[in-house]
Amino acid sequence: MAVYSSSDTRAFFSDAATDLIYRRGKTRFNVRGILDSPYQAVAVAEPEFASERIALTIPSASLPKDSAEGDKIINGQDIYTVREIQPDGTGVTVLVLEATTDLSAPA
């Protein structure tokens, strides 16, 4: 059960969100979400490596029911592959993305 109502999440996403396309197979869904790619330092050696973890924060209710890893997110000319789906139990889901140029359907 979501802690927030869909009207709560709609208000949150109305100002900061971007219009995107969620592609599941050949089906496209219009969604709104917040794309983020914060800098992360990975300390595996000297000097640290810079890394990005591209993520899309989206209202859970706007995701297709059969969302899965391998689906695509399209933002203009940029294409991302969904690598992880992380629902937080409050009506919001974070999709961990990987930049790609491949629009083929997920396996």
Side-chain angles (χ1 to χ4, degrees):
M1 182 168 106
V3 174
Y4 302 107
S5 70
S6 60
S7 62
D8 292 332
T9 57
R10 189 172 30 255
F12 175 75
F13 287 99
S14 66
D15 293 334
T18 303
D19 292 320
L20 306 158
I21 296 171
Y22 189 105
R23 183 171 165 193
R24 175 81 180 131
K26 294 184 179 184
T27 306
R28 293 172 177 242
F29 304 88
N30 292 321
V31 296
R32 282 185 65 78
I34 301 170
L35 271 173
D36 190 23
S37 60
Y39 170 84
Q40 291 182 334
V42 181
V44 294
E46 287 293 328
E48 293 180 333
F49 291 92
S51 176
E52 283 185 286
R53 179 181 178 256
I54 303 168
L56 174 63
T57 304
I58 189 168
S60 301
S62 66
L63 286 172
K65 290 182 182 182
D66 57 351
S67 298
E69 294 176 10
D71 290 353
K72 306 294 182 190
I73 299 293
I74 303 167
N75 181 27
Q77 298 297 316
D78 298 323
I79 304 166
Y80 304 95
T81 300
V82 176
R83 291 296 174 209
E84 291 180 41
I85 300 174
Q86 302 174 346
D88 71 359
T90 67
V92 176
T93 297
V94 174
L95 304 177
V96 177
L97 307 175
E98 177 181 24
T100 186
T101 57
D102 182 17
L103 255 181
S104 62

